Amino acid sequence: MKAERRMTMSDKINFAAEFNKSKEELLAMDEVEFRARFRERCHHTLEIQLYSAAYRGKPLNPKQTKTTELFMEVWQERGMPETLPEYVFASRLLSFAQKLVRGETLDLSPYEVSPLSPSELSGFERTVYERRSVREWSARKVPDDIIEKVLKAGLWAAHACNLQSIRYLVMREEHCPGLFRGSDIPGGPLHVVVLQDMRVYKANPVMPESNQLLDAGAAGQNLVLAAHAYGLGACWLTFTSEEMKQRIRDYVNLPEYMRMTTYVDMGYPDQSPYPPQRISVDEAVYYWK
């Protein structure tokens, strides 16, 4: 395996140029990239430092808010809705930061996550341990509201730098018969293709491709778990050929900047497979001290 090259001084200069965009550059930027940069910069220049200061009982350096304030100013000048999630989130973080800058104590107790109750834990464990790949489905149609809940779970998966690259193709087999042919299974009544809008990764050009693929993997895991929790059966699949991917891409006229990473077939199950057994934790742990 080729060793990763160490960052040189010239790399560091380019690094700064990539992340510290001027107001003029931000105003002229494609909206998708701008929103991704807003999320990434807010995360790396304010959110992390804010919580570090809050939980250590220290004031926040006033300069720490400058980047987020610049993005919010540009956001307003671009005339973008202030109800979009990035702006709402940044506004709340900025209000927290201003308290810390003034030396006030920040009360984050309303956002504390409570441990799951025994009954909730039982439901969680059932979802994790009873989930299995299903390859036969009934003709029962999956309602749109259930599909939306499953898709939302995928969007709430962990994502590097809060870039939020995940997008979807949602296609019912009855509306595109045979389009997904080539898989080693008959194919489910509902196909959910996990896409990645590669434009958002311009916001962090030094991110390894492996991290990008992990973003899609995390979303895929949430999809199959959510499908199981809502009574569906799902099978996480891969595209068997470039021809298959191109056929689907051409069918929906998918832009080149959308990467087709993986897909999940799902529907109401018409089989109950015996759960595959897993190796023990003892066997899996290489080192624990």
Side-chain angles (χ1 to χ4, degrees):
M1 181 180 293
K2 186 177 180 180
E4 291 188 5
R5 182 175 63 86
R6 289 182 177 273
M7 182 177 285
T8 65
M9 182 58 69
S10 60
D11 287 328
K12 292 180 181 179
I13 294 172
N14 292 335
F15 182 92
E18 285 292 344
F19 285 94
N20 300 324
K21 297 296 184 182
S22 68
K23 182 177 180 180
E24 291 70 26
E25 289 175 307
L26 294 174
L27 283 168
M29 193 173 286
D30 170 80
E31 183 175 317
V32 171
E33 181 183 346
F34 171 71
R35 291 179 66 182
R37 285 185 181 274
F38 189 5
R39 293 190 292 265
E40 186 277 332
R41 288 289 79 194
C42 185
H43 171 64
H44 278 131
T45 69
L46 182 60
E47 182 183 12
I48 294 172
Q49 295 81 359
L50 182 158
Y51 290 132
S52 178
Y55 285 104
R56 287 172 172 78
K58 297 180 178 180
L60 186 70
N61 187 326
K63 294 181 180 180
Q64 211 66 59
T65 65
K66 297 302 181 184
T67 299
T68 297
E69 289 171 338
L70 170 63
F71 271 89
M72 294 179 75
E73 180 182 337
V74 172
W75 187 286
Q76 293 168 349
E77 289 192 26
R78 291 177 65 121
M80 296 169 63
E82 296 181 8
T83 53
L84 289 175
E86 301 93 328
Y87 194 91
V88 173
F89 182 62
S91 298
R92 180 57 59 91
L93 289 185
L94 199 56
S95 69
F96 291 162
Q98 289 164 348
K99 286 187 176 182
L100 292 175
V101 168
R102 293 193 297 266
E104 299 176 17
T105 300
L106 183 60
D107 180 17
L108 294 169
S109 60
Y111 310 104
E112 288 182 3
V113 178
S114 302
L116 298 180
S117 67
S119 61
E120 289 171 331
L121 275 173
S122 176
F124 168 75
E125 290 174 350
R126 280 189 57 201
T127 300
V128 172
Y129 300 131
E130 291 184 4
R131 185 217 64 81
R132 63 202 70 172
S133 295
V134 170
R135 294 174 174 83
E136 296 287 346
W137 295 270
S138 72
R140 181 182 171 191
K141 187 174 182 178
V142 181
D144 287 349
D145 65 316
I146 297 297
I147 298 173
E148 185 171 346
K149 290 176 181 178
V150 171
L151 299 179
K152 183 177 180 180
L155 295 177
W156 275 86
H159 197 295
C161 304
N162 195 28
L163 289 177
Q164 301 185 36
S165 70
I166 302 302
R167 306 291 187 268
Y168 300 113
L169 288 180
V170 183
M171 309 178 75
R172 295 185 187 272
E173 175 66 20
E174 62 185 292
H175 297 153
C176 57
L179 184 64
F180 283 75
R181 66 185 182 277
S183 174
D184 60 349
I185 66 171
L190 182 68
H191 312 288
V192 177
V193 179
V194 178
L195 306 173
Q196 289 180 279
D197 189 334
M198 300 307 292
R199 293 175 295 177
V200 309
Y201 289 108
K202 293 180 181 179
N204 189 345
V206 298
M207 179 184 289
E209 185 181 16
S210 58
N211 286 40
Q212 299 172 7
L213 295 174
L214 287 170
D215 292 337
Q221 180 70 1
N222 273 23
L223 289 175
V224 296
L225 289 174
H228 182 75
Y230 288 112
L232 305 178
C235 189
W236 193 342
L237 297 160
T238 187
F239 299 103
T240 55
S241 67
E242 288 301 314
E243 186 276 331
M244 180 183 180
K245 291 171 68 173
Q246 193 61 48
R247 182 171 68 241
I248 298 168
R249 182 179 290 277
D250 292 343
Y251 186 86
V252 298
N253 195 26
L254 189 67
E256 285 301 318
Y257 55 75
M258 289 292 187
R259 178 163 66 187
M260 300 172 63
T261 310
T262 187
Y263 75 103
V264 178
D265 273 4
M266 61 182 72
Y268 287 102
D270 197 28
Q271 63 175 192
S272 301
Y274 174 72
Q277 302 302 293
R278 295 292 195 255
I279 63 173
S280 68
V281 172
D282 285 343
E283 185 179 353
V285 174
Y286 179 77
Y287 182 84
W288 184 342
K289 185 176 182 180

